[in-house]
């Protein structure tokens, strides 16, 4: 099963077990988070409903990206500016796609219905 999630203004196609690098998210390494902005979900060619669907992930590491050099120059004006930037990012490992609480409730309800009918 795969899902397309949006975080940090970007969209990522994820499946269980994938590792992705996203914009910085709050949390320490080892903690788990939930990505709730699921745009699309499916299994192969079949698409599934995304109502209430969440993606669970574990934070692997917090880090910074490669340095990007910003250089500005204006010809014949002796104007040169050099600046660097390193963007903060978070490495996530996708643990599961789907809300397990809803699946457990859905499985528990059919068992409860026949018991109520017998009584």
């Amino acid at each position: 099963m795969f899902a397309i999630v949006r975080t940090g203004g970007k969209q990522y196609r994820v499946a269980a077990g994938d590792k992705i690098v996203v914009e910085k998210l709050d949390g320490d390494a080892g903690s788990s988070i939930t990505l709730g902005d699921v745009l699309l979900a499916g299994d192969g060619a079949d698409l599934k409903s995304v109502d209430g669907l969440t993606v669970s992930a574990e934070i692997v590491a917090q880090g910074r990206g490669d340095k990007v050099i910003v250089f500005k120059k204006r010809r014949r004006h002796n104007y040169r500016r050099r600046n660097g930037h390193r963007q903060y990012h978070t490495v996530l490992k996708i643990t599961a796609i789907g809300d397990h609480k809803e699946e457990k409730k859905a499985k528990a309800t059919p068992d409860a219905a026949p018991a109520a009918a017998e009584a």
Side-chain angles (χ1 to χ4, degrees):
M1 183 169 181
F2 72 93
I4 296 178
V5 296
R6 178 174 34 205
T7 178
K10 299 179 182 84
Q11 298 174 8
Y12 302 91
R13 183 185 190 276
V14 298
D18 287 352
K19 286 186 181 179
I20 58 173
V21 178
V22 299
E23 296 288 324
K24 178 146 175 48
L25 298 172
D26 291 335
D28 296 327
S31 63
S32 61
I33 62 168
T34 303
L35 303 173
D37 196 3
V38 180
L39 304 175
L40 183 85
D43 195 7
D46 300 330
L47 297 180
K48 302 198 182 230
S49 174
V50 295
D51 296 332
L53 190 69
T54 59
V55 174
S56 301
E58 177 185 349
I59 297 177
V60 176
Q62 301 278 15
R64 296 177 78 181
D66 294 334
K67 182 175 271 195
V68 177
I69 302 296
V70 179
F71 186 75
K72 298 179 181 181
K73 180 180 178 180
R74 293 193 182 142
R75 296 188 312 165
R76 297 181 297 274
H77 290 281
N78 197 26
Y79 175 84
R80 289 184 296 274
R81 301 290 182 265
R82 183 178 180 271
N83 202 353
H85 175 77
R86 291 184 70 190
Q87 184 69 32
Y88 288 95
H89 66 255
T90 302
V91 180
L92 295 178
K93 181 178 181 186
I94 306 301
T95 55
I97 297 175
D99 190 4
H100 294 296
K101 293 177 184 175
E102 281 187 18
E103 292 173 7
K104 289 180 183 177
K105 288 180 185 175
K107 289 179 183 176
T109 357
D111 295 336
E118 292 173 7

